[in-house]
Amino acid sequence: MDQKLIVTDEYDRLVQFFVENQLEFDGDEEVDTDIIRCYKFADKEDNLIGGVVLAEREGKYIIDGIAVSEDYRDSGIGEILLNQIKEDVEELGGDAIYLVARAPGFFRKNGFDEVDPEKAPNFFECKYCSQYGKTCHPEIMKYEI
């Protein structure tokens, strides 16, 4: 693999990448978020292949977006991104990572478990989205460190 994991400050570019890969919706709703770290995989021309954003909301660590380009899915990049975030949160002293999963099978395979949305911190915009529960059925998931 010629690509490598790179720390980046290109948050807006990653968000657009998540939207383009249909793993995030570009909505108007905003939830207070403290971005901790962004990572990207890119090819030699700096085209994004994968990315992930680690953030903190309401004192909890969350994956604020993660995606791998369709051509590179099943290449191991998603696992590399997740493992880096797990390491970061452990180094920061966190005990869990939360996320909203539109591909819950992938996250379940990587150690995440579903959490009742009523028992999860209010860290996601999905419940305000007009597609939530209609055409989009994400799971709230948690990984215990």
Side-chain angles (χ1 to χ4, degrees), residues 13-131:
R13 183 175 178 213
L14 287 174
V15 169
Q16 186 59 40
F17 176 74
F18 301 150
V19 171
E20 289 168 3
N21 281 278
Q22 301 175 344
L23 294 171
E24 292 286 338
F25 288 107
D26 195 12
D28 293 333
E29 57 282 323
E30 292 289 327
V31 174
D32 245 358
T33 303
D34 293 322
I35 303 302
I36 295 172
R37 201 161 292 132
C38 301
Y39 293 97
K40 71 176 181 179
F41 267 94
D43 65 17
K44 292 176 185 174
E45 289 79 36
D46 200 35
N47 297 306
L48 288 176
I49 293 168
V52 65
V53 175
L54 174 63
E56 186 177 3
R57 289 188 190 156
E58 297 185 356
K60 304 290 183 187
Y61 292 104
I62 64 159
I63 292 178
D64 194 40
I66 183 170
V68 175
S69 176
E70 190 171 352
D71 292 342
Y72 289 87
R73 293 183 188 156
D74 297 320
S75 69
I77 290 174
E79 286 86 357
I80 293 169
L81 293 167
L82 277 180
N83 288 336
Q84 182 62 57
I85 296 302
K86 290 174 183 178
E87 286 178 27
D88 288 356
V89 171
E90 188 170 7
E91 287 175 9
L92 292 165
D95 61 358
I97 305 167
Y98 291 87
L99 58 79
V100 178
R102 293 195 57 204
F106 169 77
F107 294 104
R108 206 171 282 110
K109 180 178 87 172
N110 285 282
F112 284 77
D113 295 308
E114 187 174 6
V115 176
D116 179 347
E118 298 302 317
K119 295 182 181 176
N122 182 25
F123 68 93
F124 65 104
E125 295 95 347
C126 287
K127 62 185 174 183
Y128 306 112
C129 178
S130 62
Q131 297 181 26

